[in-house]
Amino acid sequence: ELANVWYNEPKSLDTAFGVIADIVLSASGCQYGGFSFNSDLTLEPYAEKTYNNLIKKYLRLNLSKEQAENEAWNDLERIAEQGFQEWEYKFNTLSSARGDFSFITAGFGLGKSKICRMLNKKIMEVRANGQGKKGNKKPVLFPKLVFLYDEELHGEGKELEDVFNCAVECNKKSMYPDYVSLSGPNYVSQMYKKY
């Protein structure tokens, strides 16, 4: 509930992007300091609902199951790309009631599903491509991207090595994401494993 208006749980990925942006902007505008959230695992259930609904839509149009899945996946990727672009525009153009821009951080990188992998790659692809006029696109600042690195997931030959490699490529173009190591004896990894 925000400003006496009840938000129903989103039933699709595009709606989830909008609701999350509203909540993040409202909550971060009511405090000093930063506001962090997890993007891939938060968006995953809405992406799954959207994907399943898109498959049903294409099956009703008499496409084969394989064609329906391919078309649904292409649509889902486009919705994710547009959603991350929406976040970048909103988080970098809408100031808070205090007149400043909220320091918003999106953590990601731990989701193992095909959908999470796609979301992780899309958030970095959108950041690397930048925003602005054609021929003059620049990476934006918010949400600050933080890649949650786990050597057991992202290390060489591990399950999510491709996602880590995508993060390295994004770094080359936009100086983001930042990295937080969830491996080793550091304080952050100890708290992550404990809680």
Side-chain angles (χ1 to χ4, degrees), residues 4-150:
N4 296 317
V5 175
W6 179 257
Y7 277 80
N8 292 319
E9 183 172 1
K11 295 190 176 29
S12 65
L13 182 58
D14 53 345
T15 304
F17 274 111
V19 169
I20 291 169
D22 289 349
I23 293 168
V24 167
L25 285 169
S26 178
S28 64
C30 295
Q31 66 181 32
Y32 288 100
F35 188 88
S36 300
F37 66 99
N38 184 293
S39 63
D40 58 345
L41 298 172
T42 303
L43 291 168
E44 182 181 29
Y46 308 110
E48 285 177 4
K49 287 178 186 180
T50 299
Y51 180 63
N52 291 332
N53 287 334
L54 287 167
I55 289 174
K56 290 175 190 172
K57 171 186 149 184
Y58 286 116
L59 288 174
R60 283 193 305 269
L61 296 172
N62 293 323
L63 270 66
S64 70
K65 186 173 191 247
E66 184 179 340
Q67 289 173 318
E69 288 173 352
N70 287 337
E71 291 299 320
W73 188 257
N74 290 337
D75 287 355
L76 186 67
E77 285 186 323
R78 183 67 185 139
I79 292 167
E81 181 179 354
Q82 290 174 331
F84 289 125
Q85 287 172 343
E86 174 189 3
W87 279 1
E88 288 195 350
Y89 281 117
K90 280 188 176 183
F91 296 160
N92 290 282
T93 61
L94 299 177
S95 59
S96 73
R98 298 183 311 270
D100 62 356
F101 292 96
S102 299
F103 196 99
I104 298 166
T105 302
F108 65 97
L110 299 177
K112 298 177 188 176
S113 71
K114 180 180 177 182
I115 286 176
C116 276
R117 292 164 89 106
M118 180 273 294
L119 291 168
N120 289 330
K121 290 177 180 180
K122 282 294 173 190
I123 196 171
M124 291 184 283
E125 181 183 302
V126 167
R127 178 57 52 90
N129 289 337
Q131 301 298 339
K133 292 181 181 178
K134 188 175 182 178
N136 194 32
K137 293 188 174 219
K138 297 178 180 143
V140 297
L141 183 58
F142 298 118
K144 179 180 177 186
L145 301 182
V146 175
F147 188 91
L148 304 173
Y149 178 86
D150 185 333

